[in-house]
Amino acid sequence: MDSNFLLIVLLLVLGFGLLLLIFLMRLLSNILPYLYAIARIRAKEARLLKPETMEELVNTGSLAEIASLLENTEYALAMQGLVLENAESIERLLERQTADIYSEVAGMLPEKVQPVFAYLQQQWDVRNIKTLLRGLRSGLPAEKIMAAVLPFGTLDVELLRKMSEAAGIEDVLPLFEITPYGALAQQLQAYEQTESLLPLESMLDKVLLETMWRQVEAGGPLQVLQPFFAARIDALTIKILMRAKRDHLLLADVEPYIISGGHASQRLIRAFDEVDDVSALASELEGSSYYKPVMDALADYDRHGSLFALEKVLDETALAIGRDTAVTQPYGIAPVLGFLARKDVEVRNIRAISRAKEAGLAPEYIRELVLNV
């Protein structure tokens, strides 16, 4: 009897051991493809600018001092040969260096997460298209527009060059019909009515994020990125809704630009036509990660009538959610996108500081422009 009992116990132990081994093997198969990439990402994260360096940039006296400080950072190699004429010179340098990093990181990704690689490329499509549209709107010559376009994306450079030579935005929008951004071609009437780039840029964000959201929702290895992309969608959607409420628009007026997906923003969409103002709309965020930061920033909106403070805390909260996703998923794709998000914030902050310094703003005002995550 004792021997039978011991045999049963042994079989149970072996069974549990086999299940544990299978679990560990599956876990390792998911982790191993990322180990090398994550090690390199950690090294790059260590070279991101420290808060004290960012504070030094805020307190500099000129663009030349900003350039000098950057020569002692990760941007040193990119700074070689820089002809410093204005803040735009620094911006072009930052964009080129960031494109190189995106290209390098994309090459680290394993085959099974290639949709993320496609997303990284499409992000640069969107950046390039926005650069092109802004250049056309400002009447810049084609060569100057193309100098700001970076060839890290899916769009053919020759097509972008042809677009840069268009007489105006009305002439360039139909050219997007043959691209993944064909929805822009349908925005000609909206642009002619408003003469604003906001509907066009909102549509670009919608196309980009909805494409990625479908991949995330389909499950598989990208599902762990749901909080990351939900936060990005929520932040953009809430901004659109707040601008619309401030301008006394109806939901129907902005519905074409609202991005499908996300979590926190869905409640605002349902309540939009039932509330009277931005403050009442913000209160609908109760229970979400955005509620407290947004409510704290409402006082600034009430004083100045500007949505800047609200939009800033939305961006900071979305980035914090992305950071937390990377921390809780340390062995997959999340740390890679978490690093790229932090890199984008760093570049955005340096650009904002450079522009503000060129405009002669005092450090106390420049400091308010810096995103803190």
Side-chain angles (χ1 to χ4, degrees):
M1 186 73 174
D2 288 342
S3 61
N4 288 337
F5 177 74
L6 289 174
L7 181 60
I8 292 171
V9 171
L10 180 60
L11 290 173
L12 287 173
V13 170
L14 288 173
F16 282 122
L18 182 61
L19 289 174
L20 179 61
L21 182 61
I22 293 172
F23 170 76
L24 290 174
M25 289 178 66
R26 286 181 177 174
L27 182 63
L28 284 173
S29 70
N30 289 329
I31 291 174
L32 286 175
Y34 296 99
L35 289 182
Y36 175 65
I38 291 172
R40 292 179 63 185
I41 289 296
R42 296 296 183 225
K44 290 181 178 296
E45 280 183 326
R47 294 194 291 269
L48 290 171
L49 298 188
K50 303 294 186 291
E52 53 268 27
T53 305
M54 200 63 70
E55 182 64 17
E56 283 187 76
L57 291 172
V58 168
N59 289 313
T60 54
S62 65
L63 287 176
E65 286 185 39
I66 290 177
S68 179
L69 276 173
L70 291 177
E71 287 175 355
N72 298 314
T73 69
E74 179 70 3
Y75 299 95
L77 186 61
M79 294 294 294
Q80 293 179 6
L82 172 68
V83 178
L84 183 60
E85 298 174 342
N86 47 35
E88 189 178 342
S89 306
I90 294 178
E91 288 184 7
R92 284 198 299 267
L93 175 148
L94 294 172
E95 289 286 333
R96 284 195 297 271
Q97 199 254 14
T98 306
D100 289 342
I101 287 177
Y102 266 73
S103 182
E104 180 184 356
V105 169
M108 302 176 190
L109 300 179
E111 185 69 28
K112 64 182 179 180
V113 290
Q114 281 309 300
V116 175
F117 174 65
Y119 171 78
L120 296 181
Q121 287 188 299
Q122 287 177 313
Q123 278 198 127
W124 285 87
D125 281 343
V126 168
R127 291 187 187 198
N128 283 336
I129 293 170
K130 287 180 179 180
T131 296
L132 188 146
L133 294 176
R134 291 166 187 172
L136 288 172
R137 173 70 183 275
S138 301
L140 297 180
E143 58 271 17
K144 189 161 186 180
I145 294 174
M146 288 305 297
V149 168
L150 293 165
F152 181 66
T154 65
L155 293 178
D156 182 69
V157 174
E158 288 307 311
L159 176 60
L160 290 172
R161 193 181 309 281
K162 180 180 179 181
M163 290 177 172
S164 73
E165 294 169 352
I169 290 177
E170 294 87 349
D171 294 322
V172 81
L173 289 183
L175 298 178
F176 284 102
E177 285 186 350
I178 61 171
T179 75
Y181 312 97
L184 282 181
Q186 312 305 317
Q187 297 301 308
L188 179 58
Q189 185 176 359
Y191 174 73
E192 289 175 338
Q193 289 175 346
T194 64
E195 295 188 351
S196 168
L197 291 180
L198 185 59
L200 303 181
E201 296 189 352
S202 296
M203 185 57 70
L204 281 169
D205 292 331
K206 177 182 173 71
V207 171
L208 175 67
L209 282 167
E210 285 188 348
T211 299
M212 195 62 214
W213 186 253
R214 285 193 294 271
Q215 296 283 348
V216 170
E217 288 286 271
L222 301 184
Q223 196 165 22
V224 297
L225 299 176
Q226 188 183 76
F228 182 93
F229 285 103
R232 290 199 63 177
I233 291 171
D234 281 335
L236 281 169
T237 302
I238 295 168
K239 285 182 191 179
I240 291 171
L241 294 172
M242 285 186 168
R243 291 169 189 166
K245 185 56 65 177
R246 177 200 60 189
D247 296 339
H248 309 292
L249 301 177
L250 298 175
L251 180 63
D253 297 321
V254 294
E255 206 159 18
Y257 313 109
I258 291 176
I259 305 164
S260 299
H263 301 310
S265 55
Q266 297 305 308
R267 194 187 307 170
L268 272 69
I269 293 171
R270 291 192 294 270
F272 186 84
D273 285 335
E274 306 301 320
V275 299
D276 296 327
D277 54 29
V278 171
S279 298
L281 188 66
S283 68
E284 295 294 327
L285 289 168
E286 187 171 5
S288 75
S289 301
Y290 297 93
Y291 181 69
K292 187 178 185 309
V294 166
M295 296 307 288
D296 290 345
L298 270 176
D300 188 277
Y301 170 73
D302 291 337
R303 279 196 305 271
H304 306 295
S306 169
L307 290 173
F308 174 79
L310 288 169
E311 295 188 349
K312 183 184 177 192
V313 297
L314 285 169
D315 287 336
E316 289 175 341
T317 305
L319 287 164
I321 292 171
R323 177 201 61 205
D324 293 344
T325 302
V327 170
T328 57
Q329 304 286 340
Y331 296 113
I333 188 62
V336 178
L337 291 193
F339 161 72
L340 291 175
R342 290 180 63 192
K343 183 66 179 178
D344 284 339
V345 171
E346 178 177 282
V347 169
R348 179 253 181 222
N349 283 340
I350 298 172
R351 292 176 64 182
I353 292 169
S354 300
R355 286 287 184 180
K357 194 64 63 177
E358 186 175 55
L361 296 183
E364 57 267 29
Y365 295 111
I366 297 175
R367 202 169 287 114
E368 294 178 4
L369 302 175
V370 175
L371 289 180
N372 300 296
V373 182

